[in-house]
Amino acid sequence: MNLRRAGLYLGGFLGPFGGGITTAMLPELGGSFGISPATASTSLTAFLLPFAAAMLVSGTLGERWGRSRTVRLAYVLYSLSCVAAVLAPSWGLFLGARIVQGLANAFTTPLIMAALAASVVPEALGRALGWYGSLQAAGQTSAPLVGGLAAEVEWHYAFYGVAVVALLLAVVGIPREERAAGRARATLRSALRPQVLRLGLVAGLGWGCLAGAGFLVALRLADVFALDSGPRGLVLTGLGAMGILTARLVGAAVDRVGARRCVVVGAVAGGLLLACVGLAPVVWLVAVLWVLAGIPSQLLLVGVNALVLGGPGANRSGAVSVVQSLRFFGAAASPAGLPPIYHADPLAAFLAPAALLVAAVPALVPRRP
């Protein structure tokens, strides 16, 4: 059981790590397939869009099929798709492999989170989700670094490494759920409850307006302070690094003061910090403020996860699946919706999402899960 519990946390790391592994190797991918780095960037979209779309139903389907069986099969498919990406003779087939990776990951993330919630007492749920959140942040933050280092030698090695880890996780599996006699069959309707949809909107707004606004910070660092790509990247990693360091403490706070309060505090603090980033007159202050924004981003993420997994209803996997899907759709919408505002008025591009965080998110959080 201890090994399987550890596998839950490692699975939390692997998902965002595998999704972002191509971020720093776009020129090398372009060279291998005879395309531009800009075209190679579609490898990120090819993973994320199917991942977010499939998550609307993957948790519910996984509950029907059995969490343990579904997660094992998804890891095997993830591993095989990584090998397929290495062996792909054309860019189209490589993108196809990335799509399969995203689909496979959609059938691990919500089921792992539900299994983690079922394996701890309710009073320790926040701390467990805090540890899980720190490993997710570590996977997201380290993926560009590891992928870039692998590409210095041969980009294929990164995918081989992910394939091996996914196969090991398939062997380890996850803790088996206890099936109560007469438990109702999981349905999509049971996951699409009004409270769950409201939490999904909170997750989408929270993540899209705060963590998803990193590209705005990058634009401001380039346009206002003329920072090169290396220093810009270093500043942007600050939010994720702070998330790694504080997620466990945030989880303990969720257990002590309540998940809803943590979400509201995270939204208000995140909005104020984001507005200050848009106003900061010197680059070091931008960097400090963006690092500090990692704390409210974790308050939002861990708090929302605790609300949905600690709430009523048998179909927890389906509920968290819907919430996480809307979270990633929110993150995907941010780079599409905010650039026109930025080009018209750079400060307004920071103040608009900040206002949504401060005003809309607290109003949407259900008072009862």
Side-chain angles (χ1 to χ4, degrees):
M1 179 63 74
N2 289 336
L3 184 59
R4 288 182 173 178
R5 278 287 298 277
L8 294 176
Y9 291 108
L10 183 56
F13 176 91
L14 185 67
F17 182 86
I21 196 70
T22 63
T23 303
M25 60 173 69
L26 299 180
E28 288 77 14
L29 285 174
S32 293
F33 292 103
I35 57 175
S36 69
T39 301
S41 68
T42 56
S43 63
L44 297 167
T45 306
F47 182 99
L48 288 173
L49 283 183
F51 171 66
M55 282 246 283
L56 281 171
V57 298
S58 61
T60 297
L61 293 176
E63 285 283 353
R64 290 184 186 179
W65 301 334
R67 291 177 194 162
S68 180
R69 178 193 308 166
T70 302
V71 169
R72 285 180 186 271
L73 290 175
Y75 277 137
V76 170
L77 184 61
Y78 198 105
S79 180
L80 291 175
S81 62
C82 286
V83 176
V86 170
L87 300 177
S90 68
W91 179 243
L93 290 175
F94 179 87
L95 284 183
R98 289 289 286 170
I99 290 171
V100 174
Q101 287 168 28
L103 291 172
N105 192 31
F107 282 88
T108 62
T109 299
L111 300 172
I112 287 173
M113 294 177 69
L116 180 62
S119 70
V120 299
V121 296
E123 295 77 14
L125 178 60
R127 277 167 286 180
L129 291 174
W131 278 112
Y132 185 86
S134 68
L135 284 164
Q136 281 198 310
Q140 185 176 11
T141 303
S142 63
L145 174 62
V146 175
L149 291 175
E152 290 286 340
V153 183
E154 174 55 65
W155 65 264
H156 299 88
Y157 292 158
F159 282 93
Y160 279 132
V162 173
V164 169
V165 173
L167 200 57
L168 289 174
L169 287 173
V171 173
V172 171
I174 65 173
R176 292 186 178 275
E177 70 273 28
E178 295 292 333
R179 290 194 172 274
R183 191 172 77 179
R185 185 170 182 259
T187 64
L188 187 57
R189 178 179 293 181
S190 67
L192 294 173
R193 303 189 305 274
Q195 296 94 331
V196 173
L197 292 175
R198 287 179 66 175
L199 287 172
L201 289 175
V202 168
L205 282 174
W207 206 247
C209 291
L210 189 54
F215 73 96
L216 286 179
V217 181
L219 288 174
R220 187 159 196 265
L221 290 172
D223 295 344
V224 178
F225 303 107
L227 249 62
D228 293 331
S229 58
R232 289 200 307 270
L234 185 61
V235 171
L236 292 179
T237 59
L239 182 140
M242 181 60 77
I244 296 171
L245 294 174
T246 61
R248 184 180 66 85
L249 297 175
V250 165
V254 168
D255 289 331
R256 284 198 305 270
V257 304
R260 187 182 187 278
R261 288 180 182 176
C262 287
V263 172
V264 171
V265 169
V268 173
L272 293 175
L273 285 169
L274 186 63
C276 290
V277 168
L279 292 165
V282 290
V283 68
W284 67 264
L285 185 55
V286 172
V288 169
L289 291 168
W290 189 243
V291 168
L292 291 176
I295 300 174
S297 73
Q298 285 299 318
L299 284 168
L300 279 163
L301 179 59
V302 178
V304 166
N305 288 338
L307 283 171
V308 67
L309 287 168
N315 188 9
R316 290 186 176 183
S317 297
V320 77
S321 183
V322 169
V323 169
Q324 292 298 309
S325 175
L326 294 176
R327 169 194 165 197
F328 283 102
F329 275 126
S334 184
L338 291 177
I341 302 176
Y342 178 85
H343 292 306
D345 186 341
L347 179 57
F350 285 89
L351 296 182
L356 286 173
L357 285 167
V358 172
V361 170
L364 283 170
V365 183
R367 294 194 174 275
R368 292 184 179 180

